[in-house]
Amino acid sequence: MSVEIVDDEALWDRFVDASPNSMLFHKRAFLNLQEKYTGDKLLPYGIFAGNDLTCILPVFLSKQNGLRLLYSPPRSSLVYVPYLGPATSPAIARLQPHDRESAWRSIIGELCAEFSRLSPNYVALGLSPGFLDVRPFERTGYEADLMYTYIIDLERPVQAIWESIESDTKKSIKDASRHPLTIAQATDTATFTDLMRQGLKSQGETFFHRQSPEYLTEILEAFPDHVRMYFLYLGEDLIGANTLCSFHGHCIGWMGNTAARQGFSANDYLVWEMLKKVKQEGCRTFENTGADEKRLNHSKTKFNPALVPWFYLYKRDPLYRTAKLGQLALGKIKRHA
């Protein structure tokens, strides 16, 4: 196997479309936007077996405070991408377990060797759910944090999904539906960003405070069939919003917030309406991110999701460890920034 930079964007996107474990975030236009809005250098690595592209792994090279850092995805404070990491070909998925593990070890070995050539002080990889075999990374010195997300099975009938929802939540949805609520597709990212900033003001400086609304505007324009924004109105008043990201039959409730209301839950109503909508459009699963934030667990589990693991991998050299100890107090470096 060999590792090469894949400059052919059409080849890259054909691979992403065919891969069983790729995400929309892997598409080249999405990667280019991540590069543009972080200022980090995109390194679109491909792993070839002969002439066959078997795996891709886009990483971003960042230079901060004299350190060389590799991220995949980039820092969440700048692009709000939950996962990136590798995506493999259908041929890898079809292999028998013995051959698949052997191929995976070879792929990771080649990638880690390439990363070493770049001499980074820190490498961080957020693997998408489904990549559970992190042993080849750990054997080369990576540490692994076990993370979680919530995923709802949409292949059941709508009535079965409804019956699985917590009873008080079903009541709150019914109560909300008695109000003059409407949902409309939107493109006003400035208003959306303002709504998010207001809803998250108690959380300090978030992605929505740091990043320009133009980032989301360009995403909506580049992927109109995959990323859509919806506004929830009570009469003429905007009270909530949700931005969904769909790809390969999987929908992520990517960004969203609702204003606090007295008397009914706008958030429960909006999530339920989004679930029904994306199911009707053919999505098989719906991901409601936020399982690792304790303050969100109560609201996220109302819809009876499955708790699904994923891994955040990182490797730190002695210089990074020393710099982190010296600079963490100044807020210049954060472990998962």
Side-chain angles (χ1 to χ4, degrees):
M1 289 186 174
S2 62
V3 179
E4 302 175 22
I5 293 292
V6 180
D7 291 321
D8 186 338
E9 297 194 4
L11 171 63
W12 181 280
D13 278 346
R14 287 196 301 270
F15 184 92
V16 172
D17 289 337
S19 171
N21 43 42
S22 62
M23 310 195 82
L24 186 68
F25 310 120
H26 284 98
K27 294 286 278 187
R28 197 52 170 266
F30 215 126
L31 295 173
N32 292 341
L33 288 173
Q34 293 176 60
E35 182 179 45
K36 175 180 177 179
Y37 282 91
T38 60
D40 298 340
K41 180 177 176 55
L42 169 64
L43 299 173
Y45 284 118
I47 297 85
F48 290 83
N51 294 322
D52 296 328
L53 184 57
T54 62
C55 180
I56 59 171
L57 174 52
V59 298
F60 292 82
L61 176 61
S62 176
K63 297 179 181 179
Q64 303 173 42
N65 304 309
L67 300 176
R68 293 168 61 84
L69 315 175
L70 288 179
Y71 293 103
S72 183
R75 292 155 288 168
S76 60
S77 61
L78 296 177
V79 297
Y80 208 74
V81 170
Y83 325 106
L84 204 53
T88 56
S89 69
I92 296 293
R94 290 193 295 265
L95 293 173
Q96 293 297 315
H98 172 77
D99 294 330
R100 186 167 57 248
E101 286 199 12
S102 178
W104 183 236
R105 286 196 301 270
S106 296
I107 287 170
I108 300 310
E110 294 290 341
L111 285 168
C112 290
E114 175 63 18
F115 292 165
S116 295
R117 186 187 66 79
L118 295 173
S119 299
N121 304 106
Y122 180 68
V123 182
L125 307 173
L127 277 58
S128 59
F131 278 103
L132 299 181
D133 186 2
V134 298
R135 294 170 297 173
F137 285 104
E138 291 178 312
R139 289 164 184 158
T140 61
Y142 282 78
E143 299 176 71
D145 282 355
L146 178 60
M147 313 292 283
Y148 295 94
T149 189
Y150 291 125
I151 295 181
I152 299 169
D153 175 15
L154 298 183
E155 294 194 288
R156 300 167 293 165
V158 171
Q159 187 60 31
I161 299 173
W162 173 257
E163 290 173 356
S164 72
I165 296 174
E166 193 264 345
S167 59
D168 287 346
T169 302
K170 287 189 284 190
K171 181 178 183 302
S172 74
I173 293 170
K174 291 178 180 178
D175 291 343
S177 67
R178 299 188 181 99
H179 293 79
L181 298 174
T182 56
I183 298 173
Q185 190 168 345
T187 58
D188 186 350
T189 59
T191 295
F192 177 82
T193 300
D194 287 343
L195 183 70
M196 295 299 296
R197 288 171 178 171
Q198 286 297 315
L200 296 171
K201 59 185 177 181
S202 64
Q203 303 303 310
E205 287 292 308
T206 70
F207 158 82
F208 298 98
H209 297 87
R210 296 186 181 102
Q211 187 55 268
S212 164
E214 287 302 312
Y215 169 62
L216 184 53
T217 296
E218 290 204 49
I219 291 172
L220 292 173
E221 291 173 351
F223 300 101
D225 296 329
H226 298 285
V227 182
R228 287 171 292 174
M229 177 190 298
Y230 295 94
F231 284 174
L232 174 66
Y233 293 92
L234 174 61
E236 296 183 356
D237 295 332
L238 176 64
I239 63 169
N242 210 328
T243 299
L244 307 180
C245 178
S246 301
F247 191 63
H248 282 343
H250 178 65
C251 180
I252 300 176
W254 190 27
M255 306 175 183
N257 201 7
T258 53
R261 311 299 303 180
Q262 291 185 346
F264 71 95
S265 173
N267 186 63
D268 290 348
Y269 175 84
L270 184 57
V271 171
W272 173 241
E273 291 300 316
M274 293 295 96
L275 284 176
K276 291 191 296 180
K277 180 175 182 58
V278 299
K279 173 179 171 56
Q280 186 177 34
E281 293 171 348
C283 286
R284 300 182 297 275
T285 50
F286 182 90
E287 183 172 356
N288 204 357
T289 59
D292 291 305
E293 295 188 50
K294 184 178 180 181
R295 66 183 180 85
L296 300 178
N297 292 162
H298 177 71
S299 64
K300 300 286 185 177
T301 54
K302 293 178 180 180
F303 290 84
N304 194 29
L307 186 64
V308 177
W310 63 279
F311 283 99
Y312 190 92
L313 305 173
Y314 52 97
K315 188 175 185 179
R316 304 169 289 181
D317 76 353
L319 180 59
Y320 179 87
R321 293 173 185 269
T322 301
K324 181 171 167 39
L325 287 174
Q327 297 178 6
L328 187 59
L330 300 177
K332 292 182 178 180
I333 295 181
K334 295 183 180 180
R335 180 170 134 190
H336 291 171

